[in-house]
Amino acid sequence: MHKEAAIREPLILGHKTYHDVTEDVCKPIEDKAPKTWYILFGIALIIGLYGVGCILYLLGTGVGVWGLNKTIGWAWDITNFVWWVGIGHAGTLISAVLLLFRQKWRMAINRSAEAMTIFAVFMAGLFPLIHMGRLWLGYWVLPLPNQFGSLWVNFNSPLLWDVFAISTYLSVSLVFWYIGLIPDFATIRDRAKKPVAKKMYSILSFGWSGRAKHWNRFELVSLVLAGLATPLVFSVHSIVSFDFATSVIPGWHTTIFPPYFVAGAVFSGFAMVQTLMLVMRKAMKLEAYIHTKHVEYMNIVIMTTGSIVGTAYITELFISWYSGVEYEAYAFINRASGPYWWAYWAMMTCNVISPQLMWFRKLRRSLIFTFFISIVVNIGMWFERYVIIVTSIHRDYLPSSWSMHYPSHIDIGVYIGTIGLFFVFFLLFARYFPVLALNEVKTILKSSGESYKNATDDHTPDPDPEPTIVAPAVEQPVAEVESSPRVDETVTADNSGDAALLLLKAIGSSSEEDKSDLKKLSGVGPAFETALNSIGIWSFEQVSKMTKAEYDLMDSLTGKFPGKAEKEDWAAQAKELMNK
């Protein structure tokens, strides 16, 4: 087994076993969905349906309901298209490129990032279809025979290249995502108790049995798809940039667009992954698998790509001056000081200044700061696309045709609606699909799990059995134990038996007859509850008497999430639960 350097931080926190990993990932699927999920799903669905209503109204009335005019023929629709395609880049980068580079930290986030990619590309694909106006005549773009002979699309047009690039990207991403899910579907299938769920996951798992032959083919297919997907990471947004770069419009006609667009896509995609992951890790209690180290790695990517984007902005400004073309120079002067100056400086602030704060280690490891910056970056990237598109065409060569763009309520409704639909898809994914690559995470447990990294070579813990600590029987009456003095914080135990005695002396003894449902305490699952029972902690009454000394003793005995009980204030929680 590959041994990881001790200096590296563990990627899986706590004393996790293979069974714990399975339980933690499968629990949200097998348990009843919480009320919060239903509330969020309902809100997302209402917003999504409003967006669908705006789209239907637009198709029935015509694209004239957008805020376009004779000068500004592209605006919010293309802005949103490029923005969604950019967000869809991070999933393939994390899955394919980081797989080829053998980066272990990707395993905790690749599954959800891939799902995000697919749903974002779905949303992006809506806009070219809507832009047809008469969608029911969409078959006219195909080379169908007619009385004048076959009419073919213009293969020299980057708009057509977009169709091939994005459809290929979607297909490969979808297959890559689904192939990775098959072993995890089989795990859920084998655990399922309800006949309908068992049948559904049996179909989805394609008869996976976990044989060596299956795993061998799984690894081969994953590598092949990673090799196919890697060029797509760079080609798709390069081709999207050709929509502008191949034109002769000042502000668009530039060769820097392909690398600049690719860096911007990875930049915005990773920011969206951060936004979703930070919420999901808390909501689904996955703090042991997605933690500050993962956040730091992603922030380093955001900082790097943000710096590339900032360099591209400065290069554009320099070339517009150095070219000596007054129209190019005016295009950029107009962006910075014209009527859309506020959008330009919002873009510069969000995309150039905010990522540079990640140079400070304390900030790039801060979850709250990261969540805030991830939202700021995606706002900035939307403004970037808006600035590129609208400010380059709203003032052309004839001052008499200069115009301004004002989005209509349909423009806004369609955009907000796609955000709602995106979250509808993502919430359904989080409810019924494993959000972590279950079997892949298990492959790094022994090399990157906290308990195994800290273990000595003489004794490596066995990942299979549940952690069990047998506490010696306490023969004292309960009344005497409860009246005993508190354990001093400086007391140390020579072994687990002494520690268990000290702990029970402070909080009192109990038995299985007085058992409380300790899973109601924050962060306690079935495995943790078993570990607590094994050291003699059965009731809320015992937990309610804990102070820092008892928390420390309990942590040393269970070895699970050190400091969590004190941080979550289990004693206060237990008192509240006793009073219910």
Side-chain angles (χ1 to χ4, degrees):
M1 182 187 69
H2 170 70
K3 186 170 178 61
E4 206 172 75
I7 197 172
R8 287 184 177 271
E9 291 184 46
L11 295 175
I12 301 174
L13 301 180
H15 294 263
K16 295 290 182 182
T17 65
Y18 291 144
H19 178 69
D20 290 336
V21 175
T22 304
E23 286 289 329
D24 292 342
V25 177
C26 295
K27 186 176 174 61
I29 301 170
E30 295 169 343
D31 289 356
K32 187 178 179 181
K35 288 183 180 179
T36 311
W37 185 89
Y38 286 105
I39 293 169
L40 292 174
F41 183 77
I43 294 170
L45 186 62
I46 290 169
I47 295 171
L49 289 174
Y50 174 70
V52 170
C54 290
I55 292 171
L56 293 175
Y57 175 74
L58 176 134
L59 293 174
T61 309
V63 293
V65 298
W66 277 336
L68 307 177
N69 52 57
K70 64 180 181 179
T71 303
I72 304 171
W74 278 1
W76 271 51
D77 45 346
I78 302 298
T79 299
N80 299 335
F81 163 72
V82 180
W83 187 73
W84 277 118
V85 172
I87 284 175
H89 256 58
T92 305
L93 181 77
I94 290 169
S95 306
V97 180
L98 298 184
L99 169 63
L100 296 177
F101 280 99
R102 302 296 184 185
Q103 295 296 304
K104 295 179 181 180
W105 61 273
R106 69 177 180 85
M107 294 178 182
I109 58 174
N110 63 344
R111 177 65 48 71
S112 298
E114 289 165 19
M116 182 201 76
T117 288
I118 291 162
F119 304 147
V121 174
F122 282 163
M123 298 304 104
L126 282 174
F127 288 96
L129 294 175
I130 296 168
H131 217 150
M132 288 182 177
R134 296 177 175 86
L135 188 57
W136 53 92
L137 300 179
Y139 68 91
W140 284 11
V141 302
L142 302 174
L144 298 174
N146 57 78
Q147 63 268 35
F148 299 108
S150 295
L151 293 175
W152 289 80
V153 291
N154 181 8
F155 286 101
N156 291 325
S157 170
L159 296 177
L160 184 64
W161 307 344
D162 262 354
V163 174
F164 289 106
I166 291 172
S167 58
T168 304
Y169 181 67
L170 176 61
S171 303
V172 173
S173 297
L174 197 58
V175 172
F176 201 3
W177 177 62
Y178 192 82
I179 291 293
L181 278 164
I182 289 175
D184 297 348
F185 281 147
T187 300
I188 301 169
R189 172 201 66 197
D190 297 339
R191 291 168 54 90
K193 296 177 181 177
K194 296 179 180 178
V196 175
K198 198 170 190 69
K199 183 67 175 175
M200 182 181 75
Y201 289 111
S202 295
I203 295 169
L204 292 172
S205 61
F206 283 152
W208 176 275
S209 66
R211 288 183 293 171
K213 183 172 72 173
H214 288 185
W215 279 112
N216 182 46
R217 290 177 177 173
F218 175 84
E219 294 289 342
L220 287 173
V221 171
S222 296
L223 282 173
V224 170
L225 288 172
L228 290 172
T230 299
L232 291 174
V233 173
F234 303 99
S235 68
V236 172
H237 227 57
S238 295
I239 291 172
V240 170
S241 75
F242 292 161
D243 294 350
F244 311 103
T246 55
S247 71
V248 293
I249 295 175
W252 288 2
H253 187 65
T254 173
T255 55
I256 201 176
F257 267 17
Y260 159 28
F261 268 52
V262 170
V266 175
F267 182 51
S268 61
F270 266 77
M272 182 61 87
V273 171
Q274 292 277 46
T275 305
L276 295 173
M277 291 294 103
L278 289 173
V279 173
M280 197 172 68
R281 72 184 285 275
K282 192 69 178 175
M284 305 184 79
K285 297 181 173 61
L286 299 174
E287 291 93 337
Y289 307 98
I290 305 169
H291 53 84
T292 52
K293 195 60 186 173
H294 298 86
V295 169
E296 183 178 17
Y297 281 139
M298 285 194 282
N299 279 339
I300 290 170
V301 175
I302 289 173
M303 179 179 70
T304 304
T305 50
S307 299
I308 295 171
V309 169
T311 303
Y313 292 164
I314 296 167
T315 304
E316 278 189 310
L317 290 171
F318 171 74
I319 294 299
S320 69
W321 165 79
Y322 189 70
S323 67
V325 179
E326 59 182 327
Y327 302 109
E328 285 285 342
Y330 179 75
F332 287 91
I333 293 170
N334 180 53
R335 284 180 185 178
S337 59
Y340 288 105
W341 65 268
W342 51 272
Y344 178 81
W345 291 109
M347 172 193 81
M348 294 294 282
T349 304
C350 295
N351 297 346
V352 180
I353 297 172
S354 65
Q356 301 312 311
L357 298 173
M358 298 298 183
W359 286 100
F360 300 99
R361 188 172 187 268
K362 187 175 181 180
L363 291 178
R364 71 172 178 261
R365 290 175 66 90
S366 167
L367 303 184
I368 296 173
F369 178 77
T370 296
F371 183 72
F372 171 73
I373 288 294
S374 67
I375 294 172
V376 166
V377 165
N378 267 311
I379 292 171
M381 288 308 293
W382 189 92
F383 273 115
E384 181 206 277
R385 280 64 181 252
Y386 185 76
V387 166
I388 289 173
I389 293 166
V390 174
T391 64
S392 297
I393 59 177
H394 87 110
R395 287 183 172 178
D396 58 14
Y397 298 99
L398 291 175
S400 60
S401 64
W402 288 4
S403 183
M404 292 288 289
H405 173 258
Y406 301 101
S408 68
H409 70 282
I410 298 297
D411 276 314
I412 298 169
V414 170
Y415 173 54
I416 298 298
T418 56
I419 295 175
L421 290 173
F422 173 82
F423 280 103
V424 165
F425 286 131
F426 196 84
L427 285 166
L428 287 172
F429 158 75
R431 178 70 185 94
Y432 296 106
F433 286 19
V435 296
L436 258 63
L438 172 61
N439 288 284
E440 288 189 68
V441 169
K442 287 181 180 180
T443 64
I444 64 169
L445 181 61
K446 283 191 175 182
S447 61
S448 300
E450 184 178 23
S451 56
Y452 300 96
K453 284 181 72 71
N454 296 336
T456 63
D457 292 334
D458 297 331
H459 176 69
T460 302
D462 182 6
D464 292 322
E466 291 286 330
T468 306
I469 300 169
V470 180
V474 180
E475 299 178 357
Q476 296 167 282
V478 173
E480 291 181 19
V481 173
E482 290 180 346
S483 62
S484 301
R486 283 283 179 197
V487 181
D488 188 76
E489 291 188 13
T490 59
V491 173
T492 59
D494 293 333
N495 54 57
S496 60
D498 292 341
L501 280 170
L502 289 170
L503 178 61
L504 294 176
K505 187 177 180 181
I507 64 174
S509 62
S510 186
S511 65
E512 192 170 359
E513 296 176 359
D514 304 319
K515 183 178 180 180
S516 304
D517 186 3
L518 299 179
K519 294 192 293 297
K520 291 182 179 181
L521 297 171
S522 177
V524 177
F528 204 165
E529 184 182 40
T530 302
L532 292 171
N533 294 160
S534 69
I535 60 175
I537 300 176
W538 294 93
S539 66
F540 290 142
E541 184 179 359
Q542 291 173 291
V543 178
S544 68
K545 297 175 183 177
M546 288 187 177
T547 63
K548 177 172 173 49
E550 287 74 51
Y551 287 141
D552 292 342
L553 284 171
M554 183 187 70
D555 289 343
S556 69
L557 287 165
T558 63
K560 286 179 173 287
F561 305 115
K564 185 173 183 63
E566 184 181 2
K567 182 180 177 182
E568 300 285 353
D569 196 2
W570 280 7
Q573 290 185 41
K575 289 174 184 176
E576 289 182 16
L577 291 166
M578 287 169 63
N579 294 329
K580 286 185 179 179

